[in-house]
Amino acid sequence: MSGQAVWHVLGAGSLGTLWTCRLRRAGLGVRLILRGAESLASYEREGGLTLTERSLSQQWPVPAETAEDGLPIERLLVACKAYDARSAVLALAHRLAPDADVVVLQNGLGSQDEVASSLPGRRCIYASSTEGAFRPQPWHSEFAGQGHTWLGDPANPVPPPWLADLGRAGIPHQWTPDILGRLWRKLALNCAINPLTVLHDCRNGELTQHVCEVAGLCAELTELLECCGQPEAASELYSEVLRVIQATARNYSSMHQDVSHGRRTEIHYLLGYACAAAARHGLHLPHVLHLRERLAEKLRACGLPSD
Ligand code: NAP
């Protein structure tokens, strides 16, 4: 695949907009793929995507289309939520070039394999990002937290040539042969912190009042990671969870923000994935199971999907 292929970004939410604007700012070819005609009309009325970074906002008139229209896609960045990724990709599978590369940005685990198994023959590159962005209004993204993105392909350790595009766009990144380890570690951190912030309705820092609960979860998650062949991802999990809680003490977790704004959570790809993996290995993790039940009950009480 040429280094000059156009980036197609599927999903113009917080992270999709952050990536699109930086690629466009670097002079790279980028096009948005939006949900449908209504969404496209709304975007065209807006005139572009706006990125706010360090209090400076700039609008970028990135061309957009729907899944049905347009040229063949050689490079696709999937920036939907985990629960939308597979169906969104299937809707444009007919446009993917035979040698297309697909980058999946979703948090948690499970959606990457759902996408990869829906696109046999295409290279799927998994990403794990600690960057933070939110969407104050449609077609706007605010870059709220500097971070880093790891990319890797569980099926092929050779990095793709287009990684240079990310360097040009100023997207801090690193290729890793152990992307599954990165994703498992992040999943464990998310499972130990995010659901408790929803259940206790608190900022991350307030979990210092619930350290016994956090410690019990970390012990079981460590056992799970080890059993799933991820001993490095399991190493010192509890101390890193405490470090993250302290470093992000003033923040509300992404899951807390989703629930407080009445948005669906990615529970299925976090606690749901952990519980399914435990069941596959015949592991009994009572704290993790109970946490998922309590969270599901809370989500149902809020009128949100519990899976
Ligand atoms: P988001 O703001 O909700 O954006 C998702 C976007 O995908 C929305 O604009 C949504 O459109 C669009 N979409 C869904 N289905 C689509 C379809 N079939 N066709 C076209 N567009 C479609 O989510 P996000 O915060 O950017 O998160 C994306 C993923 O990155 C998640 O897995 C998240 O966990 C992960 N992540 C996010 C951050 C962050 O800081 N935001 C950091 C690290 C990882 P509608 O608005 O019409 O639904």
Side-chain angles (χ1 to χ4, degrees), residues 16-39:
T17 298
L18 175 63
W19 277 64
T20 301
C21 292
R22 290 182 296 185
L23 292 166
R24 174 71 173 72
R25 190 168 63 190
L28 294 158
V30 54
R31 299 183 71 85
L32 290 171
I33 300 174
L34 303 177
R35 211 185 251 287
E38 206 177 304
S39 191

Side-chain angles (χ1 to χ4, degrees), residues 73-84:
I73 296 172
E74 289 184 54
R75 193 171 301 154
L76 179 69
L77 180 72
V78 183
C80 311
K81 285 283 174 59
Y83 47 76
D84 280 328

Side-chain angles (χ1 to χ4, degrees), residues 9-18 33-36 39 67 78-85 87-89 91 105-108 111 128-135 139 186 254 258 263 266:
V9 178
L10 179 57
S14 312
L15 215 53
T17 298
L18 175 63
I33 300 174
L34 303 177
R35 211 185 251 287
S39 191
V78 183
C80 311
K81 285 283 174 59
Y83 47 76
D84 280 328
S87 60
V89 163
L105 271 183
Q106 287 59 48
N107 215 354
S111 68
S128 177
S129 182
T130 60
E131 293 194 312
F134 67 94
R135 188 163 41 155
W139 318 118
K186 185 145 189 257
S254 53
D258 282 342
R263 294 188 299 243
E266 295 180 303

Side-chain angles (χ1 to χ4, degrees), residues 130 132 144-146 186 189-190 192-194 197 202-208 240-254 256-257:
T130 60
Q146 304 287 325
K186 185 145 189 257
L189 288 164
N190 279 332
I193 296 173
N194 296 12
T197 64
C202 69
R203 294 176 198 264
N204 292 356
E206 289 163 68
L207 292 184
T208 49
E240 191 176 352
V241 166
L242 292 183
R243 189 190 61 71
V244 171
I245 285 172
Q246 263 145 23
T248 60
R250 299 283 310 146
N251 298 358
Y252 284 108
S253 73
S254 53
H256 186 284
Q257 290 177 44

